[in-house]
Amino acid sequence: MSILQMLQSSTKPEGKTSGQEERDHHLGRLFGLDAIMKSGILFKTEPSHTAELLRLLFDLAKKKPWLREECGWIVYRAVQDAPRTTVCVSFVEIVMRELEAAKLARSPDSTAIWLVVRDRYPQVKLPQEPWRHADPLHPENLTALSKVLKESHAPKDTADDGHEKHAQTGTWNSKPHFAWDVIFEILFQPSLQEADRVQFHQFWQKAVDQTLFSASASTERKYWGLMLFVKAFEGAPAAVLPSVFSDNLVRCFVNHLAQEDRYLHRTAHRALKVMHARIEKESSLAIDAVLGLTKPGLPHFDQATKTKTISTLLTHVQTADLEKLQDALLASIIRPDLQDADALERRRRMLADHLVSALRSRRDADDSSYFFGTFVQFGCLGYLGVNAEDHVPTPPVTNLSRTMFRQSLSACFGHLLSFPSELTMRLPYQTLLAVAQLATPKTAASSVDDVSRTRATLSKMEGLRKLDDLAASNIRVRAFQLLYALVALQVLDRDEESASILSELEACLEDVSKAPEKAGDALSATLLEILLSLLSKPSVLLRKLSQQVFAAFAAGLRVKSLQILFDVLDTSESLDGQQALFDEGTSGPESSDDDDVSIWSADSGESASDESDMAPAADEQSDSSSGAVGGRMDVDDDELSRLNAALGQIVGTQPLANGDAGHSDDSSADEPMDDEAMFALDDQMAQVFKERKKTTNKKQQKKDAKELVINLKNRVLDLLEIYLRQQHQNPRVLDVLIPLLRLGRTTTSKQVAEKCRGLIRDLAHRCRGKMVPQLKKRRHACKVLGEIHEEATRDPSRAHATACSQSSLLIVKALVALEPQNVARIVERYGNTQTRWLTGQCRVQPVLFSDFLNWSASFRQQQQSRK
């Protein structure tokens, strides 16, 4: 008895057996046949034994579909691992003959066997059916191959060629069939490709995108598709990966990533992680992924999925690919190939967002040069309605899109200003200059609402050309060009105040062009006034612009110019302070609340002073440390009492004047009111609530004014931080100390106070050793030292005393560096303050004297070491 006969008899169920026993018999036969196949004995025996074993395997595959893949894998591995000898060729011929006889050729496992035979044993003659040209990967077989790999045949189906379309493999397998790996291995290797075979992108589009990701595909099929996406990113060469971002696959990603309760949510996340892992190793793939996820007709991936997929991919785009990315996205903006108006708007906004994100992902200012074309396109589309080539986009740009392009341009400029350099300071000016050259009557007349205003503003950019030669070697000129260009940008955005600022800059243009390095105090003061007006606006771009321009002109600022900043710091944090800063023509000072509550005072007997007493209390409750504007104010108990009293007097239910707690006559209280009395009562109540609303609005105005002033002070402190960082050896930094100390003591904002003390602390830390301010005379420094000691007596808090001590020691170091003999004057100053403290004439924290004693010990040790 042969081995096959023994195996067959041992694994044949006898009598009535349960399902589990029958399953065990089939598995035993499968394992036995696999062992015989692996032993290699088939290559040493008669062909009839080989055919018999294959028939047993194929019969088992047909009888039990859930074992078909395993049976096919056994045969595939035997063919794959067999040595290329004459005996093995004979074995392969028997395999193909038995496969055809079993009518299993149109199945995934048989397809894998067919492909390995065709590629490894070209001398073997393959049947002409069921695959045309004897090759499953021939273009004519692509549709049939897709159906075979999908495994969607119904039971007892028969193909046109007579081969059975066998039932699916029973239970669903979460792992894609091994035939996919065989096909991918062939299509991934160019050396295995043939001219008459399908390419990878054709196979993926048909077999994966249009089959596994079709609208009617089941969740299980889509799961396979995501697993194939993972396989592709784990092993495919970079050249073929752009093809995997097919439309249906991306839509599947969006649908299942958007909601956590979708079946494939976690699988889609896993696929994205694999993609990111590959791109982190090969950043050259990033641009293909970005372009694949932003193709026309697809939604905004990041917004729809609530992820940062594209934003992350943009950070990996190589510098060499930035121009390609820019050109691709801009081309799609100009001609998005969409007709639906809403879809068109969303598409252009999405692409503009990606361009802005690409710029923001750059951490090197030199990379920004690649985006100059983007800036010009944004400017032309936003302000002229045409592209940089003077062509009207198809479809034309709507007003909504033009506004969006302007905002995108401002966002780009705001990011550029985060990298102070010659390049980034000149790009906004060069951009607006390029836009100005395209602002011809032909382009403007058909697309711009206010043609004359737009052309007039852009034409002023030509006046800056006279500064080009100076700008190459002078940072102040570049800063002025930057300021001029971005103010012109605000004018184009219909900002009326910016128009007057632009006129002031035109007046300064001649002074800057003549002698920028000798810009007088008048010019510096004018520029500071302009910067302050820009800082008062809630714009990140204008804040960064003001800081860059201020940094360029900081070295030339004089005391008169700095005093403009100090005046802002000394402004009252109230409605009066807002009026003083912004020249707002409001009616009277903030204490004149009597008129607003006249009906309350007259009807309820309350004095107007009660209301004026409420205002400070309300202001104290609204802490503006964060500078945020808004918030609803709570009505206090006194206000509610007055409201109740006023309403009670109208309806006649208030307490009597003699203090009795009784009520008015019962008969009069219960007497019904006629219509005329009801209407009169309604008017009186409406008046009461109207006056109450006025009071609430007045309080909100005070709160808003306070927070606006505090916000502007924060911006000014940012400028002073730049000045102290750049000019810490300039003797004028001593003039900054007193305003900072005074503001830290008087402000109602804890955040502003801490910021002032932080600036003093950083300055003291920076001015160590020989890095102290370089004084020329001691008189002014001694005066400031006396003012600091006087300031220290006005607030007994330790935080204020520490800031005063740091400021005082800074001046002490500067005076000693000027002349060591100044020690006597310094000791005298400290002695006078200490005497007043000991005699109770002032209140000062001891830290002022202890810090000086510590410095004195260090100074004495240095003097002795020099001797």
Side-chain angles (χ1 to χ4, degrees), residues 485-553:
L486 293 187
V487 170
L489 190 71
Q490 300 300 310
V491 175
L492 292 175
D493 287 336
R494 306 298 186 263
D495 188 344
E496 298 296 337
E497 184 180 351
S498 297
S500 61
I501 296 177
L502 190 63
S503 300
E504 296 179 25
L505 289 176
E506 288 184 66
C508 300
L509 183 59
E510 290 298 326
D511 294 337
V512 175
S513 61
K514 290 179 181 178
E517 71 285 349
K518 299 179 181 180
D521 208 36
L523 176 60
S524 300
T526 302
L527 290 177
L528 267 184
E529 294 284 359
I530 292 174
L531 295 184
L532 287 177
S533 64
L534 297 179
L535 284 174
S536 64
K537 300 179 180 180
S539 169
V540 176
L541 171 63
L542 296 181
R543 175 169 57 85
K544 293 181 178 180
L545 166 66
S546 301
Q547 292 175 359
Q548 275 218 21
V549 175
F550 180 84
F553 284 88

Side-chain angles (χ1 to χ4, degrees), residues 396-444:
V397 180
T398 63
N399 290 333
L400 183 62
S401 291
R402 285 176 51 196
T403 301
M404 178 269 298
F405 287 129
R406 295 176 187 177
Q407 295 171 348
S408 299
L409 183 61
S410 297
C412 291
F413 287 162
H415 180 75
L416 276 181
L417 296 183
S418 301
F419 303 98
S421 68
E422 178 181 353
L423 174 65
T424 57
M425 292 182 72
R426 289 183 60 83
L427 274 178
Y429 157 65
Q430 293 173 344
T431 299
L432 279 239
L433 199 62
V435 175
Q437 293 174 348
L438 291 173
T440 62
K442 177 182 177 181
T443 58

Side-chain angles (χ1 to χ4, degrees), residues 76 239 292 300 542 553 600 619 642 646 669 671 778 805-806 808:
Y76 169 80
H300 194 309
L542 296 181
F553 284 88
W600 291 16
D619 285 348
R642 282 193 296 276
E671 182 180 352
R778 69 168 182 266
S805 177
Q806 292 170 342
S808 179

Side-chain angles (χ1 to χ4, degrees), residues 282-410:
E282 298 181 50
S283 58
S284 60
L285 299 175
I287 185 171
D288 297 323
V290 171
L291 297 180
L293 296 175
T294 58
K295 289 188 292 187
L298 299 177
H300 194 309
F301 194 89
D302 284 2
Q303 287 184 359
T305 61
K306 299 179 179 63
T307 63
K308 296 183 179 180
T309 301
I310 295 183
S311 300
T312 304
L313 292 174
L314 289 172
T315 63
H316 295 292
V317 175
Q318 295 180 343
T319 303
D321 294 330
L322 289 177
E323 189 171 355
K324 177 183 176 182
L325 174 68
Q326 172 186 270
D327 293 343
L329 297 184
L330 285 176
S332 189
I333 287 177
I334 302 302
R335 284 176 172 76
D337 296 330
L338 293 173
Q339 298 301 325
D340 181 71
D342 293 339
L344 178 65
E345 295 290 345
R346 291 194 299 269
R347 172 77 177 163
R348 282 176 168 164
R349 177 175 293 277
M350 178 190 74
L351 296 174
D353 289 344
H354 292 335
L355 284 170
V356 175
S357 297
L359 173 65
R360 287 175 172 170
S361 66
R362 300 298 104 185
R363 294 295 179 263
D364 188 354
D366 293 336
D367 292 343
S368 303
S369 60
Y370 288 94
F371 292 91
F372 177 70
T374 300
F375 303 155
V376 176
Q377 291 284 12
F378 281 167
C380 292
L381 292 171
Y383 297 109
L384 302 178
V386 299
N387 65 349
E389 289 73 32
D390 197 9
H391 298 301
V392 177
T394 306
V397 180
T398 63
N399 290 333
L400 183 62
S401 291
R402 285 176 51 196
T403 301
M404 178 269 298
F405 287 129
R406 295 176 187 177
Q407 295 171 348
S408 299
L409 183 61
S410 297

Side-chain angles (χ1 to χ4, degrees), residues 7 24 26-36 60 70 74:
L7 175 64
D24 292 341
H26 291 316
L27 289 175
R29 176 171 295 188
L30 178 68
F31 295 151
L33 294 174
D34 185 25
I36 296 174
L60 185 60
E70 191 64 31
I74 293 173

Side-chain angles (χ1 to χ4, degrees), residues 58 87 170 264 266 270 272 299 337 495 500 502 511 598 621 627 659 741 758 799 825 856:
F58 293 148
V87 175
L264 300 180
R266 296 177 61 183
R270 177 195 169 194
L272 283 185
D337 296 330
D495 188 344
S500 61
L502 190 63
D511 294 337
S598 59
Q621 292 175 0
L741 291 171
R825 295 179 180 273
S856 300

Side-chain angles (χ1 to χ4, degrees), residues 532 534-539 543 568-569 573 581-582 624-629 703-718 747 749 751-752 755:
L532 287 177
L534 297 179
L535 284 174
S536 64
K537 300 179 180 180
S539 169
R543 175 169 57 85
V568 176
L569 299 183
E573 296 170 0
L581 286 176
F582 302 102
S624 305
S625 61
S626 62
V629 180
K703 185 176 186 293
D704 294 345
K706 175 182 176 181
E707 293 174 343
L708 182 62
V709 173
I710 290 177
N711 181 59
L712 184 58
K713 287 184 178 182
N714 264 311
R715 301 289 178 88
V716 172
L717 290 177
D718 291 337
T747 182
S749 170
Q751 185 256 350
V752 171
K755 193 169 187 177

Side-chain angles (χ1 to χ4, degrees), residues 752-773:
V752 171
E754 291 177 350
K755 193 169 187 177
C756 292
R757 293 160 188 157
L759 291 181
I760 295 175
R761 182 174 57 253
D762 293 342
L763 178 63
H765 180 75
R766 195 174 289 112
C767 296
R768 293 186 299 180
K770 297 181 180 181
M771 303 302 293
V772 297

